[in-house]
Amino acid sequence: STPRRSRRRKSVAIAYEPGQGDGAEPQTPHWEPKHWQEQLQRIREMRRSRDAPVDEMGVDKCYDTSAPPQVMRYQVLLSLMLSSQTKDQVTSAAMLRLRQRGLTVDSVLQMDDATLGRLIYPVGFWRNKVKYIKQTTAILKQKYGGDIPSTVEELVQLPGVGPKMAHLAMNIAWDSVSGIAVDTHVHRISNRLKWVKKETKYPEETRVALEDWLPRDLWREINWLLVGFGQQTCLPVNPRCSQCLNQDICPAAKR
């Protein structure tokens, strides 16, 4: 007897939109947020004076521009490690104290933990950062001849270095745009403006979501632009919506 044919029909993926019917490849419409260009232009306008803490004391202002390139890159990485969970003013002051001691790979390796801790205090999680800085600096000496790695993949392998720091290090130290650096401000504002298709919980999710639609030539600018905007106007608590030029086109605005 012939085996019974299964009554369940196999579902066939339809490879064209209804009405096409010619077997052509589907054209996925490119998603982008509503009003994003206008919102971006208005944020640029609000940031025109460049007087937020990030502009005056951010990581790109913390290293010695007259130092040899290798030393400069090391100082960029160190300031990024210190900046995590720390206000720009505090990071800037800690970097100044370190630089007054002559901030190089060798000087940090020769420094005892207590001295390093005293110099970087009160940055956030300073005890952990002492440990990470020592471990990372030793790796840079042994594996990279005292320089920092030139890829995101290698940078995030270093103790205490996350994706945001790695993309900023590529940008500032190597003058290379590898991705969008997403910190707490960029993450918060991207969700408030609905610059992500669906709400994201973590900065890394936000980075992937932003890179999916934001034109690459804007990737370098977007970090400092949104960080300063987040420090001055789009605050974490009690955002200053009444002072924001985007009030009429922001989904999160308190009108």
Side-chain angles (χ1 to χ4, degrees):
S1 63
T2 53
R4 262 195 195 159
R5 201 175 275 179
S6 167
R7 286 187 181 175
R8 221 183 305 165
R9 293 177 64 183
K10 284 180 182 165
S11 60
V12 178
I14 296 174
Y16 53 84
E17 294 294 324
Q20 263 180 292
D22 55 1
E25 281 294 310
Q27 289 298 309
T28 309
H30 175 72
W31 181 86
E32 57 181 46
K34 202 175 173 185
H35 305 306
W36 75 269
Q37 282 158 309
E38 204 176 344
Q39 289 164 339
L40 180 65
Q41 200 46 49
R42 291 179 186 184
I43 292 170
R44 283 191 185 119
E45 179 62 29
M46 289 183 276
R47 291 280 287 115
R48 201 166 51 161
S49 59
R50 293 180 176 233
D51 55 1
V54 69
D55 301 306
E56 294 165 359
M57 290 168 279
V59 166
D60 59 341
K61 299 282 188 291
C62 286
Y63 62 89
D64 180 3
T65 53
S66 64
Q70 189 167 309
V71 174
M72 183 203 79
R73 288 191 286 267
Y74 174 64
Q75 291 184 1
V76 168
L77 184 64
L78 227 62
S79 60
L80 285 164
M81 293 174 75
L82 293 176
S83 71
S84 171
Q85 308 280 307
T86 305
K87 289 188 182 300
D88 289 328
Q89 299 90 320
V90 177
T91 302
S92 177
M95 281 298 292
L96 190 61
R97 290 191 294 273
L98 287 167
R99 280 171 53 193
Q100 284 166 347
R101 299 280 298 242
L103 181 53
T104 64
V105 163
D106 289 332
S107 74
V108 169
L109 287 176
Q110 286 159 19
M111 204 182 287
D112 62 73
D113 289 8
T115 303
L116 181 56
R118 196 167 63 248
L119 290 170
I120 69 170
Y121 181 85
V123 300
F125 304 102
W126 64 274
R127 286 187 182 85
N128 283 341
K129 287 177 185 177
V130 166
K131 187 175 65 182
Y132 293 147
I133 287 169
K134 279 302 195 69
Q135 289 172 348
T136 283
T137 305
I139 292 167
L140 298 181
K141 176 83 171 171
Q142 292 156 13
K143 195 173 173 183
Y144 298 99
D147 210 337
I148 73 169
S150 59
T151 67
V152 169
E153 291 71 28
E154 290 171 293
L155 283 162
V156 294
Q157 296 300 313
L158 298 169
V161 178
K164 178 205 77 171
M165 297 180 209
H167 289 299
L168 278 174
M170 290 299 295
N171 187 345
I172 300 165
W174 294 109
D175 193 27
S176 169
V177 179
S178 56
I180 299 171
V182 176
D183 74 337
T184 176
H185 296 291
V186 179
H187 173 63
R188 176 178 75 256
I189 294 163
S190 297
N191 277 279
R192 281 181 179 170
L193 289 172
K194 299 247 186 288
W195 280 10
V196 288
K197 250 187 197 174
K198 57 180 188 203
E199 191 178 350
T200 53
K201 281 188 177 179
Y202 307 105
E204 259 303 274
E205 284 180 78
T206 304
R207 181 185 65 79
V208 173
L210 283 175
E211 288 178 6
D212 191 49
W213 67 268
L214 189 71
R216 198 179 175 94
D217 59 353
L218 299 174
W219 288 11
R220 189 190 291 266
E221 176 191 24
I222 209 73
N223 176 268
W224 79 263
L225 202 60
L226 294 190
V227 169
F229 178 55
Q231 288 175 336
Q232 292 183 308
T233 308
C234 199
L235 307 174
V237 182
N238 300 323
R240 295 169 180 157
C241 297
S242 62
Q243 299 170 22
C244 181
L245 299 180
N246 278 322
Q247 193 187 8
D248 60 326
I249 51 171
C250 173
K254 293 180 173 70
R255 297 182 181 88

PDB file of all heavy atoms in Angstrom, residues 39-53:
ATOM      1  N   GLN A  39      16.161  66.820  12.926  1.00  0.00           N
ATOM      2  CA  GLN A  39      16.575  66.719  14.328  1.00  0.00           C
ATOM      3  C   GLN A  39      18.092  66.904  14.456  1.00  0.00           C
ATOM      4  O   GLN A  39      18.571  67.632  15.336  1.00  0.00           O
ATOM      5  CB  GLN A  39      16.152  65.361  14.911  1.00  0.00           C
ATOM      6  CG  GLN A  39      14.654  65.233  15.116  1.00  0.00           C
ATOM      7  CD  GLN A  39      14.230  63.783  15.324  1.00  0.00           C
ATOM      8  OE1 GLN A  39      14.938  62.836  14.949  1.00  0.00           O
ATOM      9  NE2 GLN A  39      13.056  63.588  15.918  1.00  0.00           N
ATOM     10  N   LEU A  40      18.833  66.257  13.569  1.00  0.00           N
ATOM     11  CA  LEU A  40      20.295  66.340  13.592  1.00  0.00           C
ATOM     12  C   LEU A  40      20.768  67.779  13.358  1.00  0.00           C
ATOM     13  O   LEU A  40      21.638  68.285  14.064  1.00  0.00           O
ATOM     14  CB  LEU A  40      20.893  65.411  12.526  1.00  0.00           C
ATOM     15  CG  LEU A  40      22.417  65.381  12.418  1.00  0.00           C
ATOM     16  CD1 LEU A  40      23.049  64.803  13.679  1.00  0.00           C
ATOM     17  CD2 LEU A  40      22.853  64.565  11.204  1.00  0.00           C
ATOM     18  N   GLN A  41      20.153  68.432  12.389  1.00  0.00           N
ATOM     19  CA  GLN A  41      20.531  69.804  12.067  1.00  0.00           C
ATOM     20  C   GLN A  41      20.270  70.739  13.257  1.00  0.00           C
ATOM     21  O   GLN A  41      21.070  71.625  13.560  1.00  0.00           O
ATOM     22  CB  GLN A  41      19.766  70.282  10.826  1.00  0.00           C
ATOM     23  CG  GLN A  41      20.388  71.472  10.109  1.00  0.00           C
ATOM     24  CD  GLN A  41      21.902  71.335   9.897  1.00  0.00           C
ATOM     25  OE1 GLN A  41      22.406  70.330   9.425  1.00  0.00           O
ATOM     26  NE2 GLN A  41      22.647  72.358  10.286  1.00  0.00           N
ATOM     27  N   ARG A  42      19.163  70.506  13.939  1.00  0.00           N
ATOM     28  CA  ARG A  42      18.829  71.337  15.106  1.00  0.00           C
ATOM     29  C   ARG A  42      19.775  71.058  16.278  1.00  0.00           C
ATOM     30  O   ARG A  42      20.107  71.964  17.039  1.00  0.00           O
ATOM     31  CB  ARG A  42      17.372  71.111  15.528  1.00  0.00           C
ATOM     32  CG  ARG A  42      16.373  71.665  14.509  1.00  0.00           C
ATOM     33  CD  ARG A  42      14.954  71.397  14.973  1.00  0.00           C
ATOM     34  NE  ARG A  42      13.954  71.784  13.982  1.00  0.00           N
ATOM     35  CZ  ARG A  42      12.646  71.707  14.193  1.00  0.00           C
ATOM     36  NH1 ARG A  42      12.178  71.254  15.344  1.00  0.00           N
ATOM     37  NH2 ARG A  42      11.788  72.075  13.251  1.00  0.00           N
ATOM     38  N   ILE A  43      20.190  69.804  16.430  1.00  0.00           N
ATOM     39  CA  ILE A  43      21.161  69.475  17.489  1.00  0.00           C
ATOM     40  C   ILE A  43      22.500  70.157  17.169  1.00  0.00           C
ATOM     41  O   ILE A  43      23.155  70.713  18.053  1.00  0.00           O
ATOM     42  CB  ILE A  43      21.329  67.943  17.658  1.00  0.00           C
ATOM     43  CG1 ILE A  43      20.042  67.326  18.217  1.00  0.00           C
ATOM     44  CG2 ILE A  43      22.500  67.620  18.592  1.00  0.00           C
ATOM     45  CD1 ILE A  43      20.001  65.808  18.205  1.00  0.00           C
ATOM     46  N   ARG A  44      22.891  70.148  15.897  1.00  0.00           N
ATOM     47  CA  ARG A  44      24.121  70.862  15.490  1.00  0.00           C
ATOM     48  C   ARG A  44      24.030  72.344  15.874  1.00  0.00           C
ATOM     49  O   ARG A  44      25.003  72.937  16.340  1.00  0.00           O
ATOM     50  CB  ARG A  44      24.327  70.749  13.976  1.00  0.00           C
ATOM     51  CG  ARG A  44      24.873  69.414  13.504  1.00  0.00           C
ATOM     52  CD  ARG A  44      25.287  69.523  12.056  1.00  0.00           C
ATOM     53  NE  ARG A  44      25.715  68.230  11.519  1.00  0.00           N
ATOM     54  CZ  ARG A  44      25.124  67.621  10.491  1.00  0.00           C
ATOM     55  NH1 ARG A  44      24.087  68.180   9.886  1.00  0.00           N
ATOM     56  NH2 ARG A  44      25.588  66.468  10.055  1.00  0.00           N
ATOM     57  N   GLU A  45      22.848  72.903  15.640  1.00  0.00           N
ATOM     58  CA  GLU A  45      22.626  74.316  15.963  1.00  0.00           C
ATOM     59  C   GLU A  45      22.781  74.555  17.473  1.00  0.00           C
ATOM     60  O   GLU A  45      23.436  75.504  17.908  1.00  0.00           O
ATOM     61  CB  GLU A  45      21.222  74.722  15.485  1.00  0.00           C
ATOM     62  CG  GLU A  45      20.822  76.154  15.760  1.00  0.00           C
ATOM     63  CD  GLU A  45      21.715  77.192  15.072  1.00  0.00           C
ATOM     64  OE1 GLU A  45      22.267  76.889  13.989  1.00  0.00           O
ATOM     65  OE2 GLU A  45      21.865  78.281  15.646  1.00  0.00           O
ATOM     66  N   MET A  46      22.194  73.644  18.271  1.00  0.00           N
ATOM     67  CA  MET A  46      22.278  73.779  19.726  1.00  0.00           C
ATOM     68  C   MET A  46      23.703  73.555  20.247  1.00  0.00           C
ATOM     69  O   MET A  46      24.059  74.046  21.314  1.00  0.00           O
ATOM     70  CB  MET A  46      21.304  72.801  20.407  1.00  0.00           C
ATOM     71  CG  MET A  46      19.839  73.184  20.249  1.00  0.00           C
ATOM     72  SD  MET A  46      18.721  72.064  21.132  1.00  0.00           S
ATOM     73  CE  MET A  46      18.531  70.716  19.954  1.00  0.00           C
ATOM     74  N   ARG A  47      24.507  72.821  19.484  1.00  0.00           N
ATOM     75  CA  ARG A  47      25.881  72.499  19.899  1.00  0.00           C
ATOM     76  C   ARG A  47      26.918  73.435  19.280  1.00  0.00           C
ATOM     77  O   ARG A  47      28.121  73.223  19.415  1.00  0.00           O
ATOM     78  CB  ARG A  47      26.202  71.049  19.496  1.00  0.00           C
ATOM     79  CG  ARG A  47      25.444  70.008  20.263  1.00  0.00           C
ATOM     80  CD  ARG A  47      26.041  69.731  21.619  1.00  0.00           C
ATOM     81  NE  ARG A  47      27.282  68.983  21.519  1.00  0.00           N
ATOM     82  CZ  ARG A  47      28.473  69.439  21.883  1.00  0.00           C
ATOM     83  NH1 ARG A  47      28.608  70.652  22.370  1.00  0.00           N
ATOM     84  NH2 ARG A  47      29.541  68.682  21.764  1.00  0.00           N
ATOM     85  N   ARG A  48      26.426  74.475  18.594  1.00  0.00           N
ATOM     86  CA  ARG A  48      27.318  75.325  17.813  1.00  0.00           C
ATOM     87  C   ARG A  48      28.397  76.007  18.668  1.00  0.00           C
ATOM     88  O   ARG A  48      29.525  76.185  18.235  1.00  0.00           O
ATOM     89  CB  ARG A  48      26.507  76.394  17.068  1.00  0.00           C
ATOM     90  CG  ARG A  48      27.228  76.988  15.877  1.00  0.00           C
ATOM     91  CD  ARG A  48      26.287  77.766  15.007  1.00  0.00           C
ATOM     92  NE  ARG A  48      25.502  78.727  15.797  1.00  0.00           N
ATOM     93  CZ  ARG A  48      24.880  79.769  15.264  1.00  0.00           C
ATOM     94  NH1 ARG A  48      24.923  79.967  13.969  1.00  0.00           N
ATOM     95  NH2 ARG A  48      24.189  80.604  16.014  1.00  0.00           N
ATOM     96  N   SER A  49      28.061  76.352  19.902  1.00  0.00           N
ATOM     97  CA  SER A  49      29.030  77.055  20.760  1.00  0.00           C
ATOM     98  C   SER A  49      30.115  76.128  21.325  1.00  0.00           C
ATOM     99  O   SER A  49      31.125  76.598  21.849  1.00  0.00           O
ATOM    100  CB  SER A  49      28.310  77.767  21.904  1.00  0.00           C
ATOM    101  OG  SER A  49      27.586  76.825  22.663  1.00  0.00           O
ATOM    102  N   ARG A  50      29.911  74.822  21.233  1.00  0.00           N
ATOM    103  CA  ARG A  50      30.905  73.827  21.688  1.00  0.00           C
ATOM    104  C   ARG A  50      31.424  74.144  23.097  1.00  0.00           C
ATOM    105  O   ARG A  50      32.628  74.214  23.329  1.00  0.00           O
ATOM    106  CB  ARG A  50      32.090  73.760  20.713  1.00  0.00           C
ATOM    107  CG  ARG A  50      31.724  73.198  19.352  1.00  0.00           C
ATOM    108  CD  ARG A  50      32.929  73.155  18.446  1.00  0.00           C
ATOM    109  NE  ARG A  50      32.574  72.536  17.176  1.00  0.00           N
ATOM    110  CZ  ARG A  50      33.210  71.510  16.624  1.00  0.00           C
ATOM    111  NH1 ARG A  50      34.226  70.955  17.242  1.00  0.00           N
ATOM    112  NH2 ARG A  50      32.832  71.023  15.459  1.00  0.00           N
ATOM    113  N   ASP A  51      30.492  74.314  24.025  1.00  0.00           N
ATOM    114  CA  ASP A  51      30.902  74.678  25.386  1.00  0.00           C
ATOM    115  C   ASP A  51      30.433  73.663  26.439  1.00  0.00           C
ATOM    116  O   ASP A  51      30.320  73.986  27.612  1.00  0.00           O
ATOM    117  CB  ASP A  51      30.378  76.076  25.738  1.00  0.00           C
ATOM    118  CG  ASP A  51      28.868  76.212  25.553  1.00  0.00           C
ATOM    119  OD1 ASP A  51      28.227  75.205  25.164  1.00  0.00           O
ATOM    120  OD2 ASP A  51      28.326  77.305  25.779  1.00  0.00           O
ATOM    121  N   ALA A  52      30.167  72.436  25.997  1.00  0.00           N
ATOM    122  CA  ALA A  52      29.810  71.370  26.942  1.00  0.00           C
ATOM    123  C   ALA A  52      31.092  70.809  27.562  1.00  0.00           C
ATOM    124  O   ALA A  52      32.181  70.983  27.008  1.00  0.00           O
ATOM    125  CB  ALA A  52      29.048  70.261  26.211  1.00  0.00           C
ATOM    126  N   PRO A  53      30.992  70.116  28.716  1.00  0.00           N
ATOM    127  CA  PRO A  53      32.193  69.516  29.325  1.00  0.00           C
ATOM    128  C   PRO A  53      33.006  68.655  28.342  1.00  0.00           C
ATOM    129  O   PRO A  53      34.226  68.710  28.345  1.00  0.00           O
ATOM    130  CB  PRO A  53      31.613  68.666  30.464  1.00  0.00           C
ATOM    131  CG  PRO A  53      30.373  69.401  30.869  1.00  0.00           C
ATOM    132  CD  PRO A  53      29.813  69.955  29.581  1.00  0.00           C
TER     133      PRO A  53
END
